Amino acid sequence: PMEYFLRQNGVEKGPFTESLIRDLLAQGILEKDTLAWHAGMDSWLPISGLPEFNPKANAPAPLPLGQPK
């Protein structure tokens, strides 16, 4: 499984599993702007910027509305 590292107040912590991070987010212990990194990433990103923690990033784009009549 993927291991994630988090950075809060300049301190790096981890590794964490995806399920643990989801639990910490749900409990309000982590904020969505907490920086996260995993192997293969070029730089640290907010948790909300990672598709696995942001359901909206995986959602299909809304269909355009038709022209009004």
Side-chain angles (χ1 to χ4, degrees), residues 1 4 10-11 14 20 25 30 35 38 42 47 52 58 61-63 69:
Y4 297 84
V11 179
L20 179 56
L25 285 167
L30 286 179
L35 294 177
H38 63 74
D42 292 330
I47 290 175
E52 55 268 49
N58 292 325
L63 297 174
K69 296 181 179 180

Side-chain angles (χ1 to χ4, degrees), residues 3-57:
E3 292 185 329
Y4 297 84
F5 293 83
L6 303 176
R7 185 184 289 168
Q8 290 181 294
N9 302 318
V11 179
E12 295 175 14
K13 302 175 183 179
F16 297 92
T17 62
E18 183 175 332
S19 62
L20 179 56
I21 291 175
R22 288 184 188 283
D23 289 345
L24 296 173
L25 285 167
Q27 294 171 35
I29 296 170
L30 286 179
E31 300 291 329
K32 290 189 178 249
D33 62 353
T34 299
L35 294 177
W37 178 89
H38 63 74
M41 289 178 58
D42 292 330
S43 60
W44 293 82
L45 291 175
I47 290 175
S48 61
L50 301 178
E52 55 268 49
F53 299 110
N54 184 354
K56 292 179 184 174

